[in-house]
Structure formats: C-alpha cells, structure tokens
C-alpha cells in the first residue's frame, strides 16, 4: 500500500501559487491539505486563501483547518471559535488539532473537542501529537499524527504494539530534513511502521513546510 499525502500547506498562495495548483491537480494522491493562515484562521478572511481552497474543493481535495490546542491548555471555546471561522470563511471539511497532548488524563478533553467539531460539521478530526499517544485517543480521531521530526530521529522510531490493532489509515508520519535520495527509502520505512499517511520533505529549519518538497513523491 502506498501511503497518501497529508500536506501541511503552510505557504502563502501569493508567494507559491504553483504549490497550491499541484495539490489541486493530484486529488488521487492527496488525502488532506492542512490550511494554516496564521497559526490559526487569522482575524479576517483572506481572499487568496479563499480562492485556493475553493479550487481544492472543486477538484475533490479535502481541506482542514489548523487549530493549536497547546497540549490541552486552551479553552474548548477558543478552539471551537477558530474552527467556526475556518468553516465560515474557507468551508473546511475538518480540523487539525495540533500540539495535542498524548497522556491518558487528556483523552477526555480531546474527546470533547472531537465531538464539538463533528457537531459543527467536521468530517475529519485529526489529532497531531507528534509522537505516539496512549491508545485511547484513537477512538476519537480519524487520523493521529504519531511522528513529526527529522529523518535521523525517524530512523530510530519505536512503534508501540497497540498500533497494530488499528488500520494504517489511522496513522500519519511527518519526516523532515531527509537527505537527498532518501525519500523512497523513508516512504518504505513508513509503510513498514504502519503509517497510511505521510509527509516527507528534504526541507528543514523553523518551518520545513514553507513549500512543497523539491523531490516528488512516488
């Protein structure tokens, strides 16, 4: 099975219009596009982002809105308000709840956020932990981000046994700072580790998601 792409599209359409067009032209390969205007939806709708998200909707690519949960420290009302703005302004089909906590005491908090998001019309709830959480989170999300980090760390990743009880489509791995020529092997490693969704890039730095990778995915 070839993993699908979940793309953190943290680049402005006015700066990189070709990147957004690539996403629109590959609906068969792109499972989700994560829309992040300004660590959230921003204070007002931005026409350039409205135009590209409408284009993605038209081609069948699902767009979800980025909301920072600060590891459970934000009030649920704040999270819901940001999702509401994404829905109203960009017609998103779901939510990426980033910086999600991973330990058992916070499962209830995220279960409640997931319920609220679905009541608001979210078809996709993605919890981005960045590492493997306890299994309880899997019951409340369509997708779990269980690795986000550099290639060197990914090579040493240990995958908990509980993940084998869930389909690969439940898990997402993000690997950045990949050396030239290693994308294919990294993709194979993701498959062996049970990830049905990936994002692999040679880009590094504070924001390795500021544009699409130079090396295309196969």
């Amino acid at each position: 099975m070839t993993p699908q792409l979940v793309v953190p599209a943290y680049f402005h359409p006015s700066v990189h219009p070709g990147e957004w067009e690539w996403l629109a032209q590959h609906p068969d390969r792109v499972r989700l596009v994560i829309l992040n205007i300004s660590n959230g939806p921003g204070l007002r709708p931005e026409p350039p982002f409205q135009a590209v998200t409408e284009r993605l909707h038209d081609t069948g690519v699902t767009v979800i809105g980025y909301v920072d949960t600060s590891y459970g420290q934000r009030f649920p009302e704040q999270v819901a308000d940001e999702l509401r703005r994404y829905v109203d302004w960009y017609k998103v089909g779901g939510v990426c709840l980033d910086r999600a906590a991973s330990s058992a005491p916070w499962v209830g908090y995220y279960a409640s956020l997931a319920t609220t998001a679905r009541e608001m019309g979210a078809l996709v709830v993605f919890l981005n932990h960045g590492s493997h959480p306890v299994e309880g989170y899997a019951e409340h999300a369509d997708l779990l981000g269980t690795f986000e980090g550099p290639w060197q760390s990914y090579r040493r990743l240990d995958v908990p046994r509980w993940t084998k009880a869930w389909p690969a489509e439940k898990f997402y791995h993000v690997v950045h700072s990949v050396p030239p020529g290693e994308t294919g092997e990294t993709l194979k490693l993701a498959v062996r580790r049970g990830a049905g969704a990936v994002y692999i890039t040679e880009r590094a730095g504070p924001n390795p998601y500021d544009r699409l990778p130079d090396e295309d995915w196969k």
Side-chain angles (χ1 to χ4, degrees):
M1 180 199 72
T2 301
Q4 289 186 292
L5 300 175
V6 173
V7 180
Y10 303 168
F11 38 83
H12 201 283
S14 297
V15 179
H16 297 294
E19 317 287 69
W20 288 92
E21 183 59 25
W22 189 95
L23 297 173
Q25 291 178 358
H26 294 85
D28 57 325
R29 297 166 66 183
V30 179
R31 175 174 170 182
L32 299 171
V33 169
I34 305 167
L35 181 65
N36 184 1
I37 311 299
S38 181
N39 286 327
L43 299 178
R44 60 189 60 83
E46 292 199 23
F49 282 103
Q50 289 180 313
V52 293
T53 54
E54 183 177 359
R55 167 86 169 119
L56 292 177
H57 297 325
D58 289 344
T59 60
V61 176
T62 299
V63 180
I64 63 176
Y66 171 101
V67 179
D68 181 9
T69 68
S70 191
Y71 305 105
Q73 299 304 306
R74 297 192 72 196
F75 291 116
E77 295 80 7
Q78 293 176 302
V79 174
D81 177 65
E82 291 197 4
L83 175 55
R84 187 173 295 107
R85 277 182 270 163
Y86 275 118
V87 172
D88 289 346
W89 298 342
Y90 303 104
K91 308 298 185 289
V92 297
V95 63
C96 166
L97 298 173
D98 194 36
R99 295 208 298 164
S102 300
S103 59
W106 293 101
V107 171
Y109 170 89
Y110 287 93
S112 179
L113 290 184
T115 297
T116 298
R118 297 190 197 283
E119 290 173 349
M120 295 172 63
L123 301 177
V124 177
V125 174
F126 165 33
L127 297 180
N128 191 28
H129 306 276
S131 61
H132 283 92
V134 298
E135 185 175 6
Y137 289 92
E139 300 177 13
H140 305 289
D142 302 288
L143 184 65
L144 299 175
T146 53
F147 180 85
E148 182 175 358
W151 178 77
Q152 289 285 4
S153 297
Y154 192 59
R155 296 174 67 195
R156 302 187 297 270
L157 177 67
D158 290 324
V159 179
R161 185 171 298 177
W162 68 259
T163 60
K164 297 183 182 301
W166 296 86
E169 290 76 12
K170 180 72 71 171
F171 302 104
Y172 173 48
H173 292 174
V174 178
V175 189
H176 61 74
S177 309
V178 177
E182 292 291 339
T183 296
E185 287 303 314
T186 306
L187 186 61
K188 292 178 183 178
L189 187 56
V191 172
R192 292 199 296 271
R193 289 172 169 171
V198 298
Y199 187 80
I200 299 170
T201 179
E202 82 289 346
R203 303 187 68 77
N207 178 17
Y209 320 122
D210 60 352
R211 62 179 304 171
L212 295 179
D214 293 331
E215 185 172 352
D216 200 3
W217 300 280
K218 303 301 181 184

